[in-house]
Amino acid sequence: MTTSDQKEYTTHKNLQPLLAWVIGLAIIGVMMTAVWPVWNLIPQYITEQVKVVSVDQSGVWADTQDNYLVKLTGSYHNVSQGDHIMGTYDLKIKQRMHTFAP
C-alpha cells in the first residue's frame, strides 16, 4: 500500500461518521416535519371579548365567543365570574381540542 492509497483510505474512513450523522439528522428532520408537526407547539395568542367562567389560584378561565373554555394568559385583577372582558389566550388550544372532539 503506497502513501497516497493510505491517505485516501484514511480520508474515506474519517468521512464515514460524518456522513452517518448527516443522514441521521436528515431522517430526524423529515420525521419531525411529516409525522409530528412541532410548529403546533408554538403558541399563537389572540385577544377577544370573553366571558369569565371561573377565577381561582391557577388563573382565569373564560368562555370564548364560539363556546370554547380557555385559560387566559396574563394577570387579570378585579375580575369575577360572569364579567365580559378582553382576554388573551392561545388560539391553538381550539385547534388541538377540535382534533380530539367527535
Side-chain angles (χ1 to χ4, degrees), residues 11-45:
T11 303
H12 289 298
K13 188 177 178 182
N14 290 341
L15 288 178
Q16 287 177 348
L18 177 64
L19 184 61
W21 276 102
V22 169
I23 291 172
L25 290 175
I27 290 171
I28 290 171
V30 168
M31 294 297 286
M32 287 181 67
T33 303
V35 177
W36 189 64
V38 293
W39 55 85
N40 284 336
L41 297 178
I42 300 169
Q44 180 182 356
Y45 294 109

Side-chain angles (χ1 to χ4, degrees), residues 8-75:
E8 186 176 325
Y9 175 73
T10 306
T11 303
H12 289 298
K13 188 177 178 182
N14 290 341
L15 288 178
Q16 287 177 348
L18 177 64
L19 184 61
W21 276 102
V22 169
I23 291 172
L25 290 175
I27 290 171
I28 290 171
V30 168
M31 294 297 286
M32 287 181 67
T33 303
V35 177
W36 189 64
V38 293
W39 55 85
N40 284 336
L41 297 178
I42 300 169
Q44 180 182 356
Y45 294 109
I46 185 171
T47 301
E48 70 178 16
Q49 179 106 15
V50 295
K51 181 180 179 184
V52 176
V53 175
S54 171
V55 179
D56 56 14
Q57 292 89 5
S58 67
V60 178
W61 291 85
D63 190 20
T64 63
Q65 294 174 356
D66 50 354
N67 296 325
Y68 280 95
L69 183 65
V70 294
K71 183 175 180 181
L72 301 180
T73 59
S75 60

